[in-house]
Amino acid sequence: MNRDEETESLIHELLDGTIAKQDVARLEKALLEDPEARQAYFALMSTDQMLLDNYEMPDHLAMHAQLMAGPLAEESDRVRTRWIWSGAALAAMVMLAATLLIFLRREPAIATVAGSADSYFLIDGVTVNEGNWTKNQRLEVRDGVVVAKLNAHTEACIDGPALIYMSDNGRDLDLRRGRVFFRVDHDAPHFKIRAAGAQVRHIGTEFGVRVAEGGSCEVHVVSGKVEVDRGAQKGKWTLKAGESASWLNRGDTSLDPLDGTDFRKALPGETIVFEDDFNDPKGTRLNEKAPDIGMPWKVRSEKVATVVGEGKLDTSGGPRHLKGHFLADDEPNHRQVVLMSFRTRQPEWIWDKQSKMDGIEKIALEAEDGTILCSVQARASEGHRWRLRDEVGGRESPLTGFSALQENELTLRYDALGGKITLHSGTSTQAELVAEIPSSSFAAPKALVIWNDYGGDLALKRISVKVVDYP
């Protein structure tokens, strides 16, 4: 059987409802590539529709059957029943064919994106917690990991920092920088990845692509096959599972065994290690009080007893040094990112803030040995406005527009191995970035510290710490 006969046979099987599931993809490919096959498909579909129009007449057949008697009437009933069922079957077949036609013409599905708890990403310059990514749009991942569901069969795990454009067909990607791990089913729609002057095409696979500044690129195949096409001058290769290819700028391509690079294949895990909303009876002593999550509070120093309750911790009335230990955890030998979120409110003692201009408020992260690693700090002389501070290196960010004496929700992100500390005006790192400084320490925080001196009063509604784990 030649190709034309095979295609026509598949069309007949589609129309009579006997086509096998695995043959649908073969027929779809033939219809997309062969105009004559499409013409035969439409001709056969039109013939079936005409038969349906001519014979779907149950009312007429019923009246004719009533005029007949005996065996002839019975035979007419049988004919009528056959035509009714035939009409219904033909209608179902035509509907199935129409569905296939719609499938062939439809637009690619809009990709959906979601990030890890510590992620900070933008679509065309706008931050979103979750959202759609579609054609001609730019996805920029500055921190954390983002998973993009490109369609029902294709997923991309993007490790920041990364910059990717989706082409105008809503399917192909242009990877400008960063590393991305792809999971692609064998029956997934075809798409290409442009990276460092090459086109990378999947053939049902799991593979990673890394593009660095300056145009260097690596492709690593975990399973299946990948085609790498660097054009007529540089050549084309098909990489199998366990193989990789790399090139620098316009240089030659190096083919090597897979070296087990650390592509992220899923969103990292996350654990809340400390949380307290101070929803205790009014007047509860803070010292040794159990938070909602974490080890009991420790009061290192206080002028008067520190009490909490009814959703409030207020340091008004004197200097204090308070400490909350996180849940016990083994010292990690890998990257961890720590997120500290807190919500402030106006303290009870506000009347003395104009006279005590040397006051300071501080919320900090502390290492196991007692070293203060980083903090958000506010000084009375600067209008009690928060700024970030790297306590080890002594570097500070410019002042933010958020006051320690007013109600605000802020999130601090401490990434020791990434070498960065950021502050966001909301409950997550996808909120507006308001301050950023480098980190001088590689230590992991084990506790939080709340500290104030005379004239520096701080009131909190809640505070929580989450660890994002990158094994």
Side-chain angles (χ1 to χ4, degrees), residues 5 50 82 111 135 137 277 448 452 458:
E5 293 173 340
M50 183 177 64
R82 282 200 300 272
K135 57 186 179 182
Q137 287 188 328
D277 62 5
L448 63 86
N452 70 297
L458 177 67

Side-chain angles (χ1 to χ4, degrees), residues 362-365 373-377 387-389 391 412:
K362 180 183 292 189
I363 305 176
L365 293 175
L373 303 173
C374 65
S375 67
V376 284
Q377 179 173 291
R387 68 162 82 230
L388 271 181
R389 178 175 171 81
E391 296 285 352
L412 180 148

Side-chain angles (χ1 to χ4, degrees), residues 192-332:
K192 298 184 293 295
I193 303 149
R194 293 186 56 83
Q199 286 191 354
V200 181
R201 185 174 68 86
H202 76 86
I203 312 176
T205 182
E206 293 185 353
F207 65 103
V209 181
R210 185 206 309 265
V211 175
E213 297 287 354
S216 65
C217 185
E218 301 172 14
V219 178
H220 300 265
V221 182
V222 175
S223 67
K225 297 179 182 180
V226 167
E227 180 184 272
V228 177
D229 186 354
R230 295 193 64 201
Q233 293 184 340
K234 295 298 182 181
K236 181 188 296 186
W237 295 267
T238 297
L239 305 178
K240 301 187 296 293
E243 296 179 342
S244 70
S246 62
W247 59 94
L248 177 63
N249 297 326
R250 299 180 182 274
D252 294 334
T253 303
S254 175
L255 302 178
D256 304 293
L258 184 69
D259 64 0
T261 54
D262 57 342
F263 286 95
R264 305 292 174 197
K265 299 179 181 179
L267 295 177
E270 55 188 71
T271 305
I272 298 177
V273 295
F274 192 90
E275 187 170 73
D276 203 340
D277 62 5
F278 310 111
N279 192 22
D280 306 280
K282 186 176 181 179
T284 300
R285 290 287 296 267
L286 183 68
N287 193 37
E288 299 297 338
K289 184 191 88 73
D292 300 319
I293 298 174
M295 308 299 287
W297 284 93
K298 301 293 183 183
V299 176
R300 289 181 170 178
S301 66
E302 58 186 3
K303 182 179 179 181
V304 295
T306 305
V307 296
V308 299
E310 299 180 341
K312 179 176 65 174
L313 162 64
D314 198 323
T315 66
S316 295
R320 305 173 198 276
H321 190 176
L322 317 173
K323 184 175 180 178
H325 278 278
F326 304 158
L327 289 176
D329 186 22
D330 295 333
E331 188 70 24

Side-chain angles (χ1 to χ4, degrees), residues 56-366:
E56 194 176 21
M57 300 172 63
D59 292 337
H60 173 77
L61 291 174
M63 288 186 293
H64 183 68
Q66 290 174 2
L67 299 176
M68 300 178 67
L72 290 177
E74 293 178 3
E75 179 63 24
S76 178
D77 286 340
R78 285 194 294 271
V79 171
R80 174 180 177 273
T81 301
R82 282 200 300 272
W83 282 123
I84 292 173
W85 282 107
S86 297
L90 283 169
M93 294 172 196
V94 171
M95 183 173 291
L96 180 61
T99 301
L100 177 61
L101 181 62
I102 292 171
F103 175 81
L104 296 176
R105 293 180 172 179
R106 71 184 179 185
E107 288 285 324
I110 295 175
T112 58
V113 293
S116 58
D118 64 322
S119 66
Y120 184 60
F121 65 95
L122 307 94
I123 297 178
D124 274 359
V126 178
T127 58
V128 291
N129 287 319
E130 294 181 355
N132 295 329
W133 177 29
T134 187
K135 57 186 179 182
N136 295 321
Q137 287 188 328
R138 178 185 75 253
L139 173 62
E140 182 180 5
V141 182
R142 295 186 181 176
D143 291 307
V145 176
V146 169
V147 169
K149 193 74 173 177
L150 301 178
N151 52 60
H153 306 278
T154 308
E155 182 178 275
C157 188
I158 306 161
D159 196 3
L163 179 62
I164 311 175
Y165 288 80
M166 185 175 286
S167 70
D168 58 6
N169 64 12
R171 181 176 61 244
D172 298 342
L173 302 179
D174 185 353
L175 176 57
R176 301 292 179 87
R177 67 172 181 270
R179 53 185 176 180
V180 184
F181 187 81
F182 294 91
R183 281 192 176 89
V184 189
D185 294 343
H186 286 278
D187 55 351
H190 291 299
F191 77 101
K192 298 184 293 295
I193 303 149
R194 293 186 56 83
Q199 286 191 354
V200 181
R201 185 174 68 86
H202 76 86
I203 312 176
T205 182
E206 293 185 353
F207 65 103
V209 181
R210 185 206 309 265
V211 175
E213 297 287 354
S216 65
C217 185
E218 301 172 14
V219 178
H220 300 265
V221 182
V222 175
S223 67
K225 297 179 182 180
V226 167
E227 180 184 272
V228 177
D229 186 354
R230 295 193 64 201
Q233 293 184 340
K234 295 298 182 181
K236 181 188 296 186
W237 295 267
T238 297
L239 305 178
K240 301 187 296 293
E243 296 179 342
S244 70
S246 62
W247 59 94
L248 177 63
N249 297 326
R250 299 180 182 274
D252 294 334
T253 303
S254 175
L255 302 178
D256 304 293
L258 184 69
D259 64 0
T261 54
D262 57 342
F263 286 95
R264 305 292 174 197
K265 299 179 181 179
L267 295 177
E270 55 188 71
T271 305
I272 298 177
V273 295
F274 192 90
E275 187 170 73
D276 203 340
D277 62 5
F278 310 111
N279 192 22
D280 306 280
K282 186 176 181 179
T284 300
R285 290 287 296 267
L286 183 68
N287 193 37
E288 299 297 338
K289 184 191 88 73
D292 300 319
I293 298 174
M295 308 299 287
W297 284 93
K298 301 293 183 183
V299 176
R300 289 181 170 178
S301 66
E302 58 186 3
K303 182 179 179 181
V304 295
T306 305
V307 296
V308 299
E310 299 180 341
K312 179 176 65 174
L313 162 64
D314 198 323
T315 66
S316 295
R320 305 173 198 276
H321 190 176
L322 317 173
K323 184 175 180 178
H325 278 278
F326 304 158
L327 289 176
D329 186 22
D330 295 333
E331 188 70 24
N333 58 1
H334 52 264
R335 179 186 177 198
Q336 286 189 330
V337 178
V338 178
L339 310 176
M340 179 172 65
S341 296
F342 57 94
R343 186 176 181 180
T344 59
R345 58 181 294 168
Q346 181 176 298
E348 292 181 359
W349 289 27
I350 200 74
W351 51 269
D352 62 345
K353 297 300 175 282
Q354 294 298 322
S355 58
K356 296 183 177 180
M357 298 305 295
D358 56 350
I360 298 176
E361 300 95 3
K362 180 183 292 189
I363 305 176
L365 293 175
E366 183 181 276

